[in-house]
């Protein structure tokens, strides 16, 4: 066994170190390529999963000046086009998540009495809305109907199973908390529910009204999986708003990064840095490897081997390690993909920019060898013989 | 026939120039068994390396069979080395990562011999040196005496007519030294020119002629 391993590798230790350093380099390069491909890919599954948030405001343009533009029409036009084009409510979600809107005609009922109430409605989650509370918390869970209510709505609260409940459009919600009134009048008829919950008690047709220009300017924060998708969404929004004489402004200053996105940016650069360190590492290992072979080359020279022939032999042995390293790296990447549930799709790695990355890698790794090979040719035979 | 004429080898710049070899001229006939003796630093190895084409003289000419080797281009000299000269070193100069068999194969690969030829030649010389059982062993697995016999087998396997040995017994005990001397005598009887650099008077006495060097010059 030892005999055959030795025969394949010649100098086992240095070869193994060389293979490991090559695997590290190729593996990190593969992953740099994968990370790079995020920009090119349109399939969200392929992205490394970073979030991007952006703040924007929607304005109506010259409402007062354009007399022939009916206010109601504008809203209707907008809603219609939205509903038409975004059947899955994507657009509405985009515009309304975490936004503040006034929704009219939410039916409130508590026990015996039924009342239609004008309520100011906030749709969002606890991360975004930081409103002071008298009691409770703003803590929304996706599959639990929870509402945080204003003072005025406390009358509608009833108790059931030791829980405080409120019916919104006949759907019972648990009262998660009560808001602290900030308005001077002391009147507070706000309701805060999560977007998902809101969809349950507002019918789809009512959803349209979330885009409401009473509250002006509209303030939206939208989050998305990627910068790319966000930009394209914003483009679509722009188109529609233009068609109804509205426009929106991206508040560039307020562009904020999701913490996950930040991590992925750091991670991305760390991977690149490690990749560079790996290249350097290969250089050093090849240097040691060549030095180890120094005496061998000198001995060969005393038997009249030509320099070219010695180069050929070095390159051949390096290639053996190199091919092995490529195979190991691919296997490692497959295992890694399973662990990290990254799709096994070649197109992730060989997108336009990455072909270059991969070619550069191979070229650099070969050049690193050749530089070292040139170094051996500088050593005289006699000095080579003396080296241990 | 090897013919050296006014061979000079210097090291260093003008101010502190050292003469490793100074105006050495000598002739060595084909099939001769010559030893070169002298104190440490007297230039023995330098001369041997110049003859062996792994070092070049600063000035002077060097002929083998009336061919001027010192004027040859590097490529031609390599070819000359490959086809005429084999070395034996004090530290054996075996390639650690190769088996005994593969070490002996090295000069044969250089000459581009066929597989069959290589196998036959290697077998022949391994048997001659009594190391046929060590074919698959690596140099770090065998004794000094065995290593030197392996190195001699390699030198012979090349089939070259000039064998240069730089202190071949330097790293061996007296038993193994005697053995190597006998082997070198045998090699000489095969018709090869053997030049041995040595400190060991026993080795020198076994040769046909002793050349003494002092400070880079021949003294007798
Ligand atoms: N690369 C070098 N640079 C400078 N001087 C050198 C170099 N190589 C050899 N010398 C000098 O040349 C002289 C002859 O060296 P050489 O190796 O031929 O001696 P030697 O007779 O073989 O000695 P030893 O018996 O110790 O092997 C020495 O004085 C040595 O210092
Ligand atoms: Mg010497």
């Amino acid at each position: 066994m030892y005999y055959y391993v030795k025969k394949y590798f010649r100098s086992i230790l240095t070869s193994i170190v060389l293979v490991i350093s090559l695997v590290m380099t190729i593996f990190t390069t593969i992953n740099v390529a994968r990370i790079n491909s995020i920009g090119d890919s349109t399939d969200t599954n392929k992205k490394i999963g970073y979030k991007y948030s952006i703040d924007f405001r929607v304005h109506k343009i010259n409402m007062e000046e354009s007399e022939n533009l009916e206010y109601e029409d504008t809203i209707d036009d907008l809603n219609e086009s939205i509903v038409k084009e975004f059947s899955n409510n994507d657009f509405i979600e985009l515009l309304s998540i975490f936004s503040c809107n006034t929704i009219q005609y939410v039916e409130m009922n508590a026990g015996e009495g039924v009342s239609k109430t004008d309520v100011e409605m906030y749709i969002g989650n606890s991360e975004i809305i930081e409103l002071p509370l008298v009691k409770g918390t703003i803590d929304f869970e996706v599959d639990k109907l929870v509402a945080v209510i204003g003072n005025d709505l406390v009358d509608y609260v009833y108790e059931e199973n030791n829980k405080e409940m409120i019916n919104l459009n006949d759907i019972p919600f648990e009262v998660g908390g009560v808001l602290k009134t900030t308005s001077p009048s002391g009147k507070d008829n706000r309701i805060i529910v999560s977007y998902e919950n809101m969809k349950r008690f507002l019918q789809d047709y009512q959803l349209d009204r979330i885009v409401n220009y009473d509250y002006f300017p509209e303030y939206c924060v939208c989050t998305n999986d990627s910068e790319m998708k966000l930009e394209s969404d914003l483009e679509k929004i722009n188109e529609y708003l233009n068609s109804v004489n509205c426009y929106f402004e991206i508040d560039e200053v307020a562009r904020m990064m999701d913490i996950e996105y930040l991590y992925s940016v750091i991670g991305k650069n760390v991977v690149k840095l490690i990749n560079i360190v790996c290249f350097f590492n290969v250089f050093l290992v090849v240097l040691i490897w060549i030095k180890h072979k120094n005496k061998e080359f000198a001995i060969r020279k005393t038997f009249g081997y030509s320099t070219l022939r010695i180069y050929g032999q070095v390159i051949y042995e390096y290639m053996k390690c190199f091919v092995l390293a490529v195979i190991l790296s691919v296997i490692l990447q497959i295992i890694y993909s399973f662990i990290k549930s990254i799709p096994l799709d070649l197109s992730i790695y060989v997108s336009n920019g990455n072909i270059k990355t991969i070619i550069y890698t191979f070229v650099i790794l070969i050049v690193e060898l050749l530089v070292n090979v040139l170094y051996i040719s500088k050593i005289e035979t006699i000095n080579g013989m003396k080296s241990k | 026939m090897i013919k050296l004429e006014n061979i000079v080898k210097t090291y260093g710049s003008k101010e502190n120039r050292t003469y490793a070899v100074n105006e050495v001229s000598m002739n060595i006939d084909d099939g001769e068994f010559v030893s070169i003796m002298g104190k440490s630093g007297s230039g023995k190895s330098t001369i041997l390396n110049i003859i062996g084409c792994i070092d070049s003289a600063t000035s002077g000419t060097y002929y083998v069979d009336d061919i001027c080797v010192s004027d040859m281009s590097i490529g031609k000299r390599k070819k000359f080395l490959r086809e005429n000269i084999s070395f034996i070193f004090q530290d054996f100069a075996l390639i650690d990562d190769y088996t005994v068999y593969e070490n002996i194969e090295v000069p044969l690969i250089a000459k581009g011999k066929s597989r069959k030829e290589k196998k036959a030649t290697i077998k022949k010389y391994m048997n001659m040196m009594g190391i046929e059982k060590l074919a698959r062993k690596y140099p770090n697995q065998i004794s000094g005496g065995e290593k030197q016999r392996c190195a001699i087998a390699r030198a012979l396997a090349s089939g070259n007519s000039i064998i240069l040995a730089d202190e071949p017994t330097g790293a061996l005990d007296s038993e193994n030294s005697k053995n190597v001397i006998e082997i070198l005598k045998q090699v000489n009887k095969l018709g090869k020119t053997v030049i041995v650099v040595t400190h060991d008077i026993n080795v020198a006495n076994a040769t046909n002629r002793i050349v003494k060097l002092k400070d880079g010059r021949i003294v007798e």
Side-chain angles (χ1 to χ4, degrees), chain A residues 2-4 6-7 10-12 292-293 295-296 299-307 309 313 317 380-382 385-386 388, chain B residues 49 54-55 78 81-82 85-87 89 91 93-99 102 106-107 109-110 112 136 138 141 154-155 158:
Chain A
Y2 176 80
Y3 174 76
Y4 289 105
K6 176 113 195 178
K7 236 176 127 79
R10 295 305 175 192
S11 44
I12 294 177
H292 172 91
K293 294 201 161 284
K295 195 177 172 191
E296 177 188 331
I299 292 168
R300 284 178 185 277
K301 281 185 189 170
T302 67
F303 285 101
Y305 274 73
S306 68
T307 318
R309 194 149 182 177
Q313 197 215 333
E317 289 198 12
E380 284 175 40
T381 316
I382 302 163
M385 291 301 294
K386 284 176 192 156
K388 271 279 151 233
Chain B
N49 291 341
I54 59 173
D55 202 352
K78 274 227 160 104
L81 166 59
R82 185 159 66 231
I85 296 162
S86 288
F87 277 94
F89 293 95
D91 63 355
L94 297 174
I95 302 171
D96 294 333
D97 298 329
Y98 284 69
T99 60
E102 287 162 340
V106 167
I109 294 170
R136 276 186 163 211
Y138 286 92
Q141 297 169 321
R154 179 177 61 180
S158 68

Side-chain angles (χ1 to χ4, degrees), chain A residues 128-221:
Chain A
I128 298 299
I129 300 166
E130 284 179 35
L131 295 170
L133 295 175
V134 177
K135 63 172 189 180
T137 50
I138 303 180
D139 186 13
F140 298 132
E141 286 167 44
V142 178
D143 47 17
K144 202 168 156 199
L145 295 172
V146 180
V148 171
I149 57 170
N151 252 338
D152 293 358
L153 305 177
V154 171
D155 296 345
Y156 299 99
V157 174
Y158 61 96
E159 202 159 300
E160 199 182 284
N161 298 337
N162 284 336
K163 280 179 187 161
E164 295 194 318
M165 309 293 289
I166 188 166
N167 286 358
L168 305 174
N169 281 4
D170 273 337
I171 299 164
F173 275 68
E174 195 183 323
V175 178
V178 179
L179 290 162
K180 194 173 181 180
T181 312
T182 45
S183 72
S185 65
K187 220 170 125 41
D188 189 354
N189 58 355
R190 288 175 292 173
I191 305 172
I192 301 173
V193 294
S194 71
Y195 179 75
E196 284 302 316
N197 285 344
M198 179 214 43
K199 283 205 277 194
R200 298 196 186 181
F201 75 91
L202 289 179
Q203 301 303 315
D204 272 356
Y205 68 90
Q206 282 175 302
L207 269 176
D208 308 344
R209 297 189 188 167
I210 293 165
V211 185
N212 187 312
Y213 291 92
D214 282 351
Y215 194 88
F216 180 78
E218 192 80 12
Y219 179 68
C220 292
V221 177

